[in-house]
């Protein structure tokens, strides 16, 4: 494996795994008061665009890393949206 591929794989792994603790904490506690809805909306949209880009340039580190990040950040976003709208109803 080339050094630059190793760097790309490590970068994808680290940035992806960084969302795991927040995702676990948010899903368990359902507490999203301190999370910014606009930030997560923009971030998830950006990650989706990275996936499109990764598919276009056929880069597996970009594709795999961002698909997993999308699942983790998307789960946090889903809890945040549900929490935001349920608190406005009650």
């Amino acid at each position: 494996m080339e050094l630059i591929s190793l760097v790309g794989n490590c970068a994808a792994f680290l940035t992806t795994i960084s969302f795991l603790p927040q995702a676990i904490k948010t899903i368990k506690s359902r507490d999203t008061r301190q999370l910014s809805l606009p930030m997560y909306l923009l971030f998830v949209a950006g990650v989706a665009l990275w996936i499109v880009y990764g598919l276009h340039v056929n880069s597996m580190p970009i594709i795999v890393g961002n698909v997993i990040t999308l699942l983790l950040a998307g789960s946090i976003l889903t809890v945040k949206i549900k929490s935001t709208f349920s608190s406005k109803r009650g």
Side-chain angles (χ1 to χ4, degrees):
M1 179 182 285
E2 287 185 41
L3 178 60
I4 197 65
S5 293
L6 183 60
V7 169
N9 285 313
C10 287
F13 175 77
L14 292 173
T15 56
T16 297
I17 203 73
S18 71
F19 274 88
L20 190 57
Q22 185 67 59
I24 291 169
K25 180 179 178 182
T26 302
I27 291 167
K28 281 184 177 180
S29 71
R30 300 285 184 201
D31 182 9
T32 61
R33 290 173 291 174
Q34 298 299 314
L35 301 179
S36 168
L37 180 58
M39 179 270 180
Y40 271 93
L41 286 168
L42 292 169
F43 183 76
V44 167
V47 170
L49 291 175
W50 271 114
I51 294 169
V52 172
Y53 174 78
L55 290 168
H56 181 72
V57 299
N58 197 29
S59 173
M60 283 313 249
I62 292 174
I63 297 166
V64 173
N66 283 290
V67 165
I68 296 168
T69 301
L70 182 65
L71 294 172
L72 294 171
S75 67
I76 295 168
L77 178 61
T78 300
V79 173
K80 176 65 177 174
I81 289 170
K82 286 181 180 180
S83 172
T84 299
F85 287 110
S86 69
S87 68
K88 289 184 178 179
R89 278 190 241 148

